[in-house]
Amino acid sequence: MSRWFFLSRHLARRRIELTCARGTSLRVSFTQAAAFTNIPCMSPTASGIFQAQVLGNRVVCREHFEITLAVEGFPAAAPGQFIQVLCHEPDAFCTSIEDFDAMRWNTDACPERPMLRRPFSIGGLRSTGSFTEIDIMGRVVGVGTAWLAGLRRGEKVDLLGPLGGSFVAPSAGETAVLVAGGIGLPPIRWLGEVLASDGVPCLAIVGAQSKALLPLRVTHSPKNPGEFEQIADEFSRMGIPGLITTDDGSFGLKGRVTDALGASLDRLSGTAGGAFCVYACGPEPMLKAVSVLCDERGVSCQVAMERVMGCGVGTCQSCVVPVKDAGAQDGWRYALCCREGPVFDSRVVIW
């Protein structure tokens, strides 16, 4: 690619930065909100470009890592929202074409340096004075995630957020059933923390391909693989019973999360207070299967979708999700996952 492509990208970013409030973090007022009422989304929230500092980076399981970042002045956020992370060292600020030419970022010197930010669901958020601690989890699949996995305490990370919309709280009297597949765990884990603190009863179902790829701190082997119990520290510390599945049966119930979800809903629906709202995040085939299962049982379901996002703010138009829309000419349209999602009512999505 020519230097003019990179220059235009850099100058576009510079225009954003020059309008920001001065300080240790550069802030800008993007507004995130759903354009249509048939897609759940939180109220509009300000977003910004920030330079975060790594507080910790741990190996979660094979190929998976979790980073805790400290960000000053980060806006309020809610479970389901995400951040866009620049997966290389933040660039020096340039003021001229000469500075730009002298930058370390060039395709000859760094042929594998990721150009675009990567989206990561917020897996936890804590305020400590003027700083906010943010947890993100990733699986090493390429150059960008490998760079993140190698970060050490004190190193800097450039991020944009919070972005997108959040999950909608269940109705009064409903039990939240939290379903996560693999790397889809972070927003589900944070949602459980928030709901449990508000007194909402929750159950958690987490699936992985194998025990080696299970991104949880399990406290013991399940006594009965098909029953909920306090088994994973991430949920048990909030009083949320969990049920774990693995495709190969190396831990917990052998099978998919939908096997556990269907059996659990059928078993519990006849009990007192048997009203449920399902929240799911994971691979799209899993989300589709969860959606079908819930639709067959008349259970409401919200899904956090995953898409490759070039910008995260609706400019590149690359993260589309087909959704039903009675107001559209053909009864459907494309919704932008970054702005109208990533959380959708599963009944709206055209799978």
Side-chain angles (χ1 to χ4, degrees), residues 33-36 38-40 305-309 314 317-325 328 332-345 348-350:
F36 297 86
N38 62 345
I39 298 176
M305 306 284 289
E306 180 181 8
R307 286 290 185 274
V308 175
M309 297 179 184
Q317 304 279 300
S318 65
C319 59
V320 295
V321 175
V323 297
K324 302 171 187 175
D325 188 341
W332 73 280
R333 62 180 176 82
Y334 285 116
L336 292 178
C337 192
C338 67
R339 292 189 65 83
E340 299 177 58
V343 178
F344 295 88
D345 184 323
V348 173
V349 179
I350 300 175

PDB file of all heavy atoms in Angstrom, residues 33-36 38-40 305-309 314 317-325 328 332-345 348-350:
ATOM      1  N   ALA A  33     -25.448   4.306  19.668  1.00  0.00           N
ATOM      2  CA  ALA A  33     -26.851   4.069  19.993  1.00  0.00           C
ATOM      3  C   ALA A  33     -27.492   3.273  18.880  1.00  0.00           C
ATOM      4  O   ALA A  33     -27.062   3.317  17.743  1.00  0.00           O
ATOM      5  CB  ALA A  33     -27.599   5.394  20.153  1.00  0.00           C
ATOM      6  N   ALA A  34     -28.518   2.517  19.218  1.00  0.00           N
ATOM      7  CA  ALA A  34     -29.232   1.759  18.203  1.00  0.00           C
ATOM      8  C   ALA A  34     -30.140   2.692  17.412  1.00  0.00           C
ATOM      9  O   ALA A  34     -30.781   3.572  17.954  1.00  0.00           O
ATOM     10  CB  ALA A  34     -30.081   0.666  18.862  1.00  0.00           C
ATOM     11  N   ALA A  35     -30.182   2.469  16.100  1.00  0.00           N
ATOM     12  CA  ALA A  35     -31.021   3.315  15.258  1.00  0.00           C
ATOM     13  C   ALA A  35     -32.438   2.764  15.162  1.00  0.00           C
ATOM     14  O   ALA A  35     -33.330   3.443  14.685  1.00  0.00           O
ATOM     15  CB  ALA A  35     -30.405   3.418  13.869  1.00  0.00           C
ATOM     16  N   PHE A  36     -32.660   1.533  15.599  1.00  0.00           N
ATOM     17  CA  PHE A  36     -33.972   0.911  15.486  1.00  0.00           C
ATOM     18  C   PHE A  36     -34.361   0.309  16.826  1.00  0.00           C
ATOM     19  O   PHE A  36     -33.542  -0.277  17.524  1.00  0.00           O
ATOM     20  CB  PHE A  36     -33.953  -0.188  14.410  1.00  0.00           C
ATOM     21  CG  PHE A  36     -33.657   0.352  13.037  1.00  0.00           C
ATOM     22  CD1 PHE A  36     -32.352   0.513  12.613  1.00  0.00           C
ATOM     23  CD2 PHE A  36     -34.678   0.722  12.174  1.00  0.00           C
ATOM     24  CE1 PHE A  36     -32.065   1.013  11.351  1.00  0.00           C
ATOM     25  CE2 PHE A  36     -34.401   1.228  10.925  1.00  0.00           C
ATOM     26  CZ  PHE A  36     -33.086   1.378  10.507  1.00  0.00           C
ATOM     27  N   ASN A  38     -36.123  -2.248  17.518  1.00  0.00           N
ATOM     28  CA  ASN A  38     -36.266  -3.694  17.630  1.00  0.00           C
ATOM     29  C   ASN A  38     -34.939  -4.372  17.928  1.00  0.00           C
ATOM     30  O   ASN A  38     -34.845  -5.580  17.944  1.00  0.00           O
ATOM     31  CB  ASN A  38     -36.863  -4.299  16.352  1.00  0.00           C
ATOM     32  CG  ASN A  38     -35.973  -4.068  15.132  1.00  0.00           C
ATOM     33  OD1 ASN A  38     -35.071  -3.238  15.158  1.00  0.00           O
ATOM     34  ND2 ASN A  38     -36.240  -4.811  14.072  1.00  0.00           N
ATOM     35  N   ILE A  39     -33.891  -3.594  18.176  1.00  0.00           N
ATOM     36  CA  ILE A  39     -32.602  -4.147  18.546  1.00  0.00           C
ATOM     37  C   ILE A  39     -32.219  -3.567  19.898  1.00  0.00           C
ATOM     38  O   ILE A  39     -32.130  -2.355  20.054  1.00  0.00           O
ATOM     39  CB  ILE A  39     -31.522  -3.808  17.503  1.00  0.00           C
ATOM     40  CG1 ILE A  39     -31.904  -4.445  16.159  1.00  0.00           C
ATOM     41  CG2 ILE A  39     -30.154  -4.289  17.952  1.00  0.00           C
ATOM     42  CD1 ILE A  39     -30.968  -4.087  15.046  1.00  0.00           C
ATOM     43  N   PRO A  40     -32.004  -4.443  20.917  1.00  0.00           N
ATOM     44  CA  PRO A  40     -31.712  -3.921  22.254  1.00  0.00           C
ATOM     45  C   PRO A  40     -30.382  -3.201  22.284  1.00  0.00           C
ATOM     46  O   PRO A  40     -29.405  -3.627  21.690  1.00  0.00           O
ATOM     47  CB  PRO A  40     -31.680  -5.188  23.122  1.00  0.00           C
ATOM     48  CG  PRO A  40     -31.346  -6.282  22.185  1.00  0.00           C
ATOM     49  CD  PRO A  40     -31.989  -5.909  20.879  1.00  0.00           C
ATOM     50  N   MET A 305     -22.944 -10.830  19.072  1.00  0.00           N
ATOM     51  CA  MET A 305     -22.388 -11.315  17.817  1.00  0.00           C
ATOM     52  C   MET A 305     -20.926 -10.908  17.665  1.00  0.00           C
ATOM     53  O   MET A 305     -20.484  -9.883  18.197  1.00  0.00           O
ATOM     54  CB  MET A 305     -23.191 -10.767  16.637  1.00  0.00           C
ATOM     55  CG  MET A 305     -24.677 -11.027  16.697  1.00  0.00           C
ATOM     56  SD  MET A 305     -25.109 -12.721  16.296  1.00  0.00           S
ATOM     57  CE  MET A 305     -24.786 -12.750  14.533  1.00  0.00           C
ATOM     58  N   GLU A 306     -20.186 -11.706  16.911  1.00  0.00           N
ATOM     59  CA  GLU A 306     -18.789 -11.398  16.614  1.00  0.00           C
ATOM     60  C   GLU A 306     -18.649 -11.104  15.130  1.00  0.00           C
ATOM     61  O   GLU A 306     -19.173 -11.826  14.287  1.00  0.00           O
ATOM     62  CB  GLU A 306     -17.880 -12.566  16.990  1.00  0.00           C
ATOM     63  CG  GLU A 306     -16.417 -12.295  16.702  1.00  0.00           C
ATOM     64  CD  GLU A 306     -15.508 -13.464  17.039  1.00  0.00           C
ATOM     65  OE1 GLU A 306     -16.035 -14.548  17.354  1.00  0.00           O
ATOM     66  OE2 GLU A 306     -14.291 -13.302  16.965  1.00  0.00           O
ATOM     67  N   ARG A 307     -17.951 -10.032  14.824  1.00  0.00           N
ATOM     68  CA  ARG A 307     -17.647  -9.667  13.445  1.00  0.00           C
ATOM     69  C   ARG A 307     -16.248  -9.057  13.388  1.00  0.00           C
ATOM     70  O   ARG A 307     -15.773  -8.468  14.351  1.00  0.00           O
ATOM     71  CB  ARG A 307     -18.655  -8.635  12.899  1.00  0.00           C
ATOM     72  CG  ARG A 307     -20.030  -9.183  12.570  1.00  0.00           C
ATOM     73  CD  ARG A 307     -19.967 -10.093  11.357  1.00  0.00           C
ATOM     74  NE  ARG A 307     -21.283 -10.561  10.936  1.00  0.00           N
ATOM     75  CZ  ARG A 307     -21.910 -11.615  11.421  1.00  0.00           C
ATOM     76  NH1 ARG A 307     -21.352 -12.304  12.399  1.00  0.00           N
ATOM     77  NH2 ARG A 307     -23.092 -11.987  10.946  1.00  0.00           N
ATOM     78  N   VAL A 308     -15.598  -9.204  12.237  1.00  0.00           N
ATOM     79  CA  VAL A 308     -14.366  -8.471  11.993  1.00  0.00           C
ATOM     80  C   VAL A 308     -14.755  -7.014  11.776  1.00  0.00           C
ATOM     81  O   VAL A 308     -15.637  -6.713  10.971  1.00  0.00           O
ATOM     82  CB  VAL A 308     -13.624  -9.008  10.762  1.00  0.00           C
ATOM     83  CG1 VAL A 308     -12.403  -8.147  10.448  1.00  0.00           C
ATOM     84  CG2 VAL A 308     -13.211 -10.460  10.987  1.00  0.00           C
ATOM     85  N   MET A 309     -14.119  -6.112  12.515  1.00  0.00           N
ATOM     86  CA  MET A 309     -14.490  -4.695  12.463  1.00  0.00           C
ATOM     87  C   MET A 309     -13.273  -3.858  12.099  1.00  0.00           C
ATOM     88  O   MET A 309     -12.268  -3.876  12.817  1.00  0.00           O
ATOM     89  CB  MET A 309     -15.060  -4.240  13.805  1.00  0.00           C
ATOM     90  CG  MET A 309     -16.343  -4.951  14.197  1.00  0.00           C
ATOM     91  SD  MET A 309     -16.947  -4.384  15.802  1.00  0.00           S
ATOM     92  CE  MET A 309     -18.370  -5.475  16.026  1.00  0.00           C
ATOM     93  N   GLY A 314     -18.848   2.426  12.749  1.00  0.00           N
ATOM     94  CA  GLY A 314     -19.834   2.507  11.688  1.00  0.00           C
ATOM     95  C   GLY A 314     -19.366   3.123  10.392  1.00  0.00           C
ATOM     96  O   GLY A 314     -20.163   3.282   9.471  1.00  0.00           O
ATOM     97  N   GLN A 317     -18.413   0.092   7.414  1.00  0.00           N
ATOM     98  CA  GLN A 317     -19.576  -0.677   6.963  1.00  0.00           C
ATOM     99  C   GLN A 317     -19.245  -2.149   6.703  1.00  0.00           C
ATOM    100  O   GLN A 317     -19.859  -2.806   5.862  1.00  0.00           O
ATOM    101  CB  GLN A 317     -20.147  -0.060   5.679  1.00  0.00           C
ATOM    102  CG  GLN A 317     -20.514   1.415   5.792  1.00  0.00           C
ATOM    103  CD  GLN A 317     -21.867   1.635   6.443  1.00  0.00           C
ATOM    104  OE1 GLN A 317     -22.894   1.171   5.957  1.00  0.00           O
ATOM    105  NE2 GLN A 317     -21.859   2.344   7.551  1.00  0.00           N
ATOM    106  N   SER A 318     -18.284  -2.697   7.430  1.00  0.00           N
ATOM    107  CA  SER A 318     -17.827  -4.064   7.144  1.00  0.00           C
ATOM    108  C   SER A 318     -18.449  -5.129   8.043  1.00  0.00           C
ATOM    109  O   SER A 318     -18.354  -6.313   7.737  1.00  0.00           O
ATOM    110  CB  SER A 318     -16.298  -4.136   7.284  1.00  0.00           C
ATOM    111  OG  SER A 318     -15.901  -3.901   8.625  1.00  0.00           O
ATOM    112  N   CYS A 319     -19.086  -4.726   9.155  1.00  0.00           N
ATOM    113  CA  CYS A 319     -19.508  -5.699  10.163  1.00  0.00           C
ATOM    114  C   CYS A 319     -21.020  -5.945  10.135  1.00  0.00           C
ATOM    115  O   CYS A 319     -21.673  -5.926  11.174  1.00  0.00           O
ATOM    116  CB  CYS A 319     -19.075  -5.231  11.544  1.00  0.00           C
ATOM    117  SG  CYS A 319     -19.741  -3.622  12.030  1.00  0.00           S
ATOM    118  N   VAL A 320     -21.565  -6.180   8.968  1.00  0.00           N
ATOM    119  CA  VAL A 320     -23.014  -6.257   8.833  1.00  0.00           C
ATOM    120  C   VAL A 320     -23.583  -7.578   9.339  1.00  0.00           C
ATOM    121  O   VAL A 320     -22.954  -8.626   9.248  1.00  0.00           O
ATOM    122  CB  VAL A 320     -23.448  -6.019   7.372  1.00  0.00           C
ATOM    123  CG1 VAL A 320     -23.113  -4.602   6.936  1.00  0.00           C
ATOM    124  CG2 VAL A 320     -22.805  -7.033   6.434  1.00  0.00           C
ATOM    125  N   VAL A 321     -24.809  -7.490   9.852  1.00  0.00           N
ATOM    126  CA  VAL A 321     -25.583  -8.645  10.301  1.00  0.00           C
ATOM    127  C   VAL A 321     -26.967  -8.530   9.675  1.00  0.00           C
ATOM    128  O   VAL A 321     -27.633  -7.498   9.838  1.00  0.00           O
ATOM    129  CB  VAL A 321     -25.709  -8.672  11.840  1.00  0.00           C
ATOM    130  CG1 VAL A 321     -26.621  -9.812  12.287  1.00  0.00           C
ATOM    131  CG2 VAL A 321     -24.347  -8.784  12.495  1.00  0.00           C
ATOM    132  N   PRO A 322     -27.437  -9.535   8.943  1.00  0.00           N
ATOM    133  CA  PRO A 322     -28.789  -9.455   8.376  1.00  0.00           C
ATOM    134  C   PRO A 322     -29.849  -9.585   9.459  1.00  0.00           C
ATOM    135  O   PRO A 322     -29.811 -10.511  10.273  1.00  0.00           O
ATOM    136  CB  PRO A 322     -28.834 -10.646   7.401  1.00  0.00           C
ATOM    137  CG  PRO A 322     -27.795 -11.603   7.897  1.00  0.00           C
ATOM    138  CD  PRO A 322     -26.730 -10.769   8.557  1.00  0.00           C
ATOM    139  N   VAL A 323     -30.788  -8.638   9.490  1.00  0.00           N
ATOM    140  CA  VAL A 323     -31.831  -8.652  10.510  1.00  0.00           C
ATOM    141  C   VAL A 323     -33.198  -8.412   9.871  1.00  0.00           C
ATOM    142  O   VAL A 323     -33.309  -7.798   8.811  1.00  0.00           O
ATOM    143  CB  VAL A 323     -31.581  -7.566  11.586  1.00  0.00           C
ATOM    144  CG1 VAL A 323     -30.287  -7.834  12.337  1.00  0.00           C
ATOM    145  CG2 VAL A 323     -31.570  -6.178  10.980  1.00  0.00           C
ATOM    146  N   LYS A 324     -34.220  -8.891  10.545  1.00  0.00           N
ATOM    147  CA  LYS A 324     -35.592  -8.656  10.099  1.00  0.00           C
ATOM    148  C   LYS A 324     -35.986  -7.222  10.426  1.00  0.00           C
ATOM    149  O   LYS A 324     -35.645  -6.706  11.483  1.00  0.00           O
ATOM    150  CB  LYS A 324     -36.540  -9.627  10.805  1.00  0.00           C
ATOM    151  CG  LYS A 324     -36.211 -11.093  10.573  1.00  0.00           C
ATOM    152  CD  LYS A 324     -37.036 -11.988  11.473  1.00  0.00           C
ATOM    153  CE  LYS A 324     -36.599 -13.439  11.360  1.00  0.00           C
ATOM    154  NZ  LYS A 324     -37.307 -14.325  12.325  1.00  0.00           N
ATOM    155  N   ASP A 325     -36.708  -6.600   9.507  1.00  0.00           N
ATOM    156  CA  ASP A 325     -37.169  -5.231   9.728  1.00  0.00           C
ATOM    157  C   ASP A 325     -38.419  -5.020   8.889  1.00  0.00           C
ATOM    158  O   ASP A 325     -38.355  -4.921   7.669  1.00  0.00           O
ATOM    159  CB  ASP A 325     -36.082  -4.227   9.336  1.00  0.00           C
ATOM    160  CG  ASP A 325     -36.456  -2.798   9.731  1.00  0.00           C
ATOM    161  OD1 ASP A 325     -37.642  -2.530   9.972  1.00  0.00           O
ATOM    162  OD2 ASP A 325     -35.551  -1.951   9.787  1.00  0.00           O
ATOM    163  N   ALA A 328     -38.447  -2.207   6.342  1.00  0.00           N
ATOM    164  CA  ALA A 328     -37.594  -2.245   5.159  1.00  0.00           C
ATOM    165  C   ALA A 328     -38.392  -2.749   3.953  1.00  0.00           C
ATOM    166  O   ALA A 328     -39.392  -3.463   4.099  1.00  0.00           O
ATOM    167  CB  ALA A 328     -36.392  -3.142   5.403  1.00  0.00           C
ATOM    168  N   TRP A 332     -36.305  -7.001   5.450  1.00  0.00           N
ATOM    169  CA  TRP A 332     -35.044  -7.228   6.140  1.00  0.00           C
ATOM    170  C   TRP A 332     -34.029  -6.194   5.666  1.00  0.00           C
ATOM    171  O   TRP A 332     -34.229  -5.511   4.671  1.00  0.00           O
ATOM    172  CB  TRP A 332     -34.507  -8.636   5.890  1.00  0.00           C
ATOM    173  CG  TRP A 332     -33.960  -8.825   4.496  1.00  0.00           C
ATOM    174  CD1 TRP A 332     -34.671  -9.059   3.360  1.00  0.00           C
ATOM    175  CD2 TRP A 332     -32.575  -8.756   4.103  1.00  0.00           C
ATOM    176  NE1 TRP A 332     -33.830  -9.153   2.275  1.00  0.00           N
ATOM    177  CE2 TRP A 332     -32.540  -8.978   2.700  1.00  0.00           C
ATOM    178  CE3 TRP A 332     -31.385  -8.532   4.789  1.00  0.00           C
ATOM    179  CZ2 TRP A 332     -31.342  -8.968   1.995  1.00  0.00           C
ATOM    180  CZ3 TRP A 332     -30.195  -8.537   4.074  1.00  0.00           C
ATOM    181  CH2 TRP A 332     -30.181  -8.762   2.696  1.00  0.00           C
ATOM    182  N   ARG A 333     -32.929  -6.104   6.407  1.00  0.00           N
ATOM    183  CA  ARG A 333     -31.862  -5.178   6.066  1.00  0.00           C
ATOM    184  C   ARG A 333     -30.587  -5.633   6.755  1.00  0.00           C
ATOM    185  O   ARG A 333     -30.593  -6.597   7.527  1.00  0.00           O
ATOM    186  CB  ARG A 333     -32.204  -3.764   6.528  1.00  0.00           C
ATOM    187  CG  ARG A 333     -32.363  -3.661   8.031  1.00  0.00           C
ATOM    188  CD  ARG A 333     -32.699  -2.263   8.517  1.00  0.00           C
ATOM    189  NE  ARG A 333     -32.927  -2.252   9.951  1.00  0.00           N
ATOM    190  CZ  ARG A 333     -31.975  -2.195  10.867  1.00  0.00           C
ATOM    191  NH1 ARG A 333     -30.699  -2.134  10.486  1.00  0.00           N
ATOM    192  NH2 ARG A 333     -32.258  -2.197  12.145  1.00  0.00           N
ATOM    193  N   TYR A 334     -29.510  -4.931   6.464  1.00  0.00           N
ATOM    194  CA  TYR A 334     -28.247  -5.182   7.150  1.00  0.00           C
ATOM    195  C   TYR A 334     -28.102  -4.197   8.309  1.00  0.00           C
ATOM    196  O   TYR A 334     -28.260  -2.994   8.122  1.00  0.00           O
ATOM    197  CB  TYR A 334     -27.062  -5.029   6.204  1.00  0.00           C
ATOM    198  CG  TYR A 334     -26.892  -6.182   5.243  1.00  0.00           C
ATOM    199  CD1 TYR A 334     -27.032  -6.001   3.868  1.00  0.00           C
ATOM    200  CD2 TYR A 334     -26.576  -7.461   5.709  1.00  0.00           C
ATOM    201  CE1 TYR A 334     -26.869  -7.050   2.984  1.00  0.00           C
ATOM    202  CE2 TYR A 334     -26.420  -8.518   4.831  1.00  0.00           C
ATOM    203  CZ  TYR A 334     -26.562  -8.317   3.475  1.00  0.00           C
ATOM    204  OH  TYR A 334     -26.401  -9.354   2.609  1.00  0.00           O
ATOM    205  N   ALA A 335     -27.795  -4.715   9.484  1.00  0.00           N
ATOM    206  CA  ALA A 335     -27.499  -3.880  10.654  1.00  0.00           C
ATOM    207  C   ALA A 335     -26.000  -3.910  10.899  1.00  0.00           C
ATOM    208  O   ALA A 335     -25.342  -4.928  10.678  1.00  0.00           O
ATOM    209  CB  ALA A 335     -28.237  -4.406  11.883  1.00  0.00           C
ATOM    210  N   LEU A 336     -25.451  -2.788  11.334  1.00  0.00           N
ATOM    211  CA  LEU A 336     -24.033  -2.732  11.674  1.00  0.00           C
ATOM    212  C   LEU A 336     -23.828  -3.297  13.076  1.00  0.00           C
ATOM    213  O   LEU A 336     -24.403  -2.801  14.046  1.00  0.00           O
ATOM    214  CB  LEU A 336     -23.525  -1.297  11.609  1.00  0.00           C
ATOM    215  CG  LEU A 336     -23.470  -0.656  10.216  1.00  0.00           C
ATOM    216  CD1 LEU A 336     -22.998   0.783  10.331  1.00  0.00           C
ATOM    217  CD2 LEU A 336     -22.556  -1.445   9.295  1.00  0.00           C
ATOM    218  N   CYS A 337     -23.004  -4.329  13.159  1.00  0.00           N
ATOM    219  CA  CYS A 337     -22.766  -4.974  14.450  1.00  0.00           C
ATOM    220  C   CYS A 337     -22.119  -4.015  15.443  1.00  0.00           C
ATOM    221  O   CYS A 337     -22.407  -4.072  16.632  1.00  0.00           O
ATOM    222  CB  CYS A 337     -21.877  -6.201  14.241  1.00  0.00           C
ATOM    223  SG  CYS A 337     -21.760  -7.289  15.680  1.00  0.00           S
ATOM    224  N   CYS A 338     -21.291  -3.103  14.952  1.00  0.00           N
ATOM    225  CA  CYS A 338     -20.567  -2.208  15.862  1.00  0.00           C
ATOM    226  C   CYS A 338     -21.461  -1.145  16.471  1.00  0.00           C
ATOM    227  O   CYS A 338     -21.199  -0.677  17.582  1.00  0.00           O
ATOM    228  CB  CYS A 338     -19.390  -1.562  15.135  1.00  0.00           C
ATOM    229  SG  CYS A 338     -19.867  -0.400  13.822  1.00  0.00           S
ATOM    230  N   ARG A 339     -22.525  -0.752  15.775  1.00  0.00           N
ATOM    231  CA  ARG A 339     -23.365   0.340  16.261  1.00  0.00           C
ATOM    232  C   ARG A 339     -24.727  -0.144  16.753  1.00  0.00           C
ATOM    233  O   ARG A 339     -25.206   0.289  17.798  1.00  0.00           O
ATOM    234  CB  ARG A 339     -23.550   1.392  15.169  1.00  0.00           C
ATOM    235  CG  ARG A 339     -22.259   2.149  14.850  1.00  0.00           C
ATOM    236  CD  ARG A 339     -22.507   3.334  13.937  1.00  0.00           C
ATOM    237  NE  ARG A 339     -23.332   4.368  14.549  1.00  0.00           N
ATOM    238  CZ  ARG A 339     -22.857   5.312  15.375  1.00  0.00           C
ATOM    239  NH1 ARG A 339     -21.587   5.320  15.708  1.00  0.00           N
ATOM    240  NH2 ARG A 339     -23.664   6.224  15.873  1.00  0.00           N
ATOM    241  N   GLU A 340     -25.373  -1.021  16.004  1.00  0.00           N
ATOM    242  CA  GLU A 340     -26.679  -1.535  16.423  1.00  0.00           C
ATOM    243  C   GLU A 340     -26.542  -2.786  17.283  1.00  0.00           C
ATOM    244  O   GLU A 340     -27.494  -3.211  17.919  1.00  0.00           O
ATOM    245  CB  GLU A 340     -27.541  -1.802  15.199  1.00  0.00           C
ATOM    246  CG  GLU A 340     -27.808  -0.548  14.381  1.00  0.00           C
ATOM    247  CD  GLU A 340     -28.609  -0.847  13.130  1.00  0.00           C
ATOM    248  OE1 GLU A 340     -29.717  -1.393  13.272  1.00  0.00           O
ATOM    249  OE2 GLU A 340     -28.125  -0.544  12.029  1.00  0.00           O
ATOM    250  N   GLY A 341     -25.389  -3.381  17.284  1.00  0.00           N
ATOM    251  CA  GLY A 341     -25.046  -4.504  18.126  1.00  0.00           C
ATOM    252  C   GLY A 341     -23.965  -4.066  19.090  1.00  0.00           C
ATOM    253  O   GLY A 341     -23.877  -2.873  19.409  1.00  0.00           O
ATOM    254  N   PRO A 342     -23.108  -4.976  19.529  1.00  0.00           N
ATOM    255  CA  PRO A 342     -23.055  -6.374  19.073  1.00  0.00           C
ATOM    256  C   PRO A 342     -24.146  -7.260  19.659  1.00  0.00           C
ATOM    257  O   PRO A 342     -24.251  -8.427  19.297  1.00  0.00           O
ATOM    258  CB  PRO A 342     -21.670  -6.832  19.550  1.00  0.00           C
ATOM    259  CG  PRO A 342     -21.413  -6.012  20.770  1.00  0.00           C
ATOM    260  CD  PRO A 342     -22.014  -4.664  20.487  1.00  0.00           C
ATOM    261  N   VAL A 343     -24.968  -6.699  20.574  1.00  0.00           N
ATOM    262  CA  VAL A 343     -26.032  -7.485  21.189  1.00  0.00           C
ATOM    263  C   VAL A 343     -27.314  -7.325  20.379  1.00  0.00           C
ATOM    264  O   VAL A 343     -27.746  -6.198  20.098  1.00  0.00           O
ATOM    265  CB  VAL A 343     -26.272  -7.046  22.644  1.00  0.00           C
ATOM    266  CG1 VAL A 343     -27.421  -7.844  23.255  1.00  0.00           C
ATOM    267  CG2 VAL A 343     -25.009  -7.216  23.466  1.00  0.00           C
ATOM    268  N   PHE A 344     -27.909  -8.462  20.008  1.00  0.00           N
ATOM    269  CA  PHE A 344     -29.157  -8.464  19.260  1.00  0.00           C
ATOM    270  C   PHE A 344     -30.159  -9.403  19.928  1.00  0.00           C
ATOM    271  O   PHE A 344     -29.775 -10.413  20.537  1.00  0.00           O
ATOM    272  CB  PHE A 344     -28.948  -8.961  17.821  1.00  0.00           C
ATOM    273  CG  PHE A 344     -28.084  -8.080  16.967  1.00  0.00           C
ATOM    274  CD1 PHE A 344     -26.709  -8.245  16.935  1.00  0.00           C
ATOM    275  CD2 PHE A 344     -28.649  -7.087  16.177  1.00  0.00           C
ATOM    276  CE1 PHE A 344     -25.908  -7.440  16.141  1.00  0.00           C
ATOM    277  CE2 PHE A 344     -27.861  -6.270  15.380  1.00  0.00           C
ATOM    278  CZ  PHE A 344     -26.478  -6.450  15.363  1.00  0.00           C
ATOM    279  N   ASP A 345     -31.423  -9.084  19.791  1.00  0.00           N
ATOM    280  CA  ASP A 345     -32.481 -10.045  20.112  1.00  0.00           C
ATOM    281  C   ASP A 345     -32.355 -11.162  19.081  1.00  0.00           C
ATOM    282  O   ASP A 345     -32.376 -10.908  17.878  1.00  0.00           O
ATOM    283  CB  ASP A 345     -33.843  -9.355  20.011  1.00  0.00           C
ATOM    284  CG  ASP A 345     -34.999 -10.253  20.426  1.00  0.00           C
ATOM    285  OD1 ASP A 345     -34.964 -11.465  20.140  1.00  0.00           O
ATOM    286  OD2 ASP A 345     -35.967  -9.732  21.011  1.00  0.00           O
ATOM    287  N   VAL A 348     -34.528 -11.410  15.961  1.00  0.00           N
ATOM    288  CA  VAL A 348     -34.381 -10.414  14.905  1.00  0.00           C
ATOM    289  C   VAL A 348     -33.348 -10.846  13.870  1.00  0.00           C
ATOM    290  O   VAL A 348     -33.457 -10.527  12.695  1.00  0.00           O
ATOM    291  CB  VAL A 348     -33.982  -9.052  15.517  1.00  0.00           C
ATOM    292  CG1 VAL A 348     -33.648  -8.039  14.437  1.00  0.00           C
ATOM    293  CG2 VAL A 348     -35.112  -8.527  16.401  1.00  0.00           C
ATOM    294  N   VAL A 349     -32.359 -11.598  14.306  1.00  0.00           N
ATOM    295  CA  VAL A 349     -31.252 -11.996  13.413  1.00  0.00           C
ATOM    296  C   VAL A 349     -31.726 -13.013  12.391  1.00  0.00           C
ATOM    297  O   VAL A 349     -32.456 -13.958  12.703  1.00  0.00           O
ATOM    298  CB  VAL A 349     -30.080 -12.579  14.228  1.00  0.00           C
ATOM    299  CG1 VAL A 349     -28.939 -13.027  13.306  1.00  0.00           C
ATOM    300  CG2 VAL A 349     -29.583 -11.566  15.248  1.00  0.00           C
ATOM    301  N   ILE A 350     -31.333 -12.815  11.143  1.00  0.00           N
ATOM    302  CA  ILE A 350     -31.587 -13.792  10.080  1.00  0.00           C
ATOM    303  C   ILE A 350     -30.376 -14.701  10.004  1.00  0.00           C
ATOM    304  O   ILE A 350     -29.311 -14.320   9.508  1.00  0.00           O
ATOM    305  CB  ILE A 350     -31.830 -13.099   8.723  1.00  0.00           C
ATOM    306  CG1 ILE A 350     -33.044 -12.181   8.820  1.00  0.00           C
ATOM    307  CG2 ILE A 350     -32.022 -14.131   7.608  1.00  0.00           C
ATOM    308  CD1 ILE A 350     -33.299 -11.355   7.583  1.00  0.00           C
TER     309      ILE A 350
END
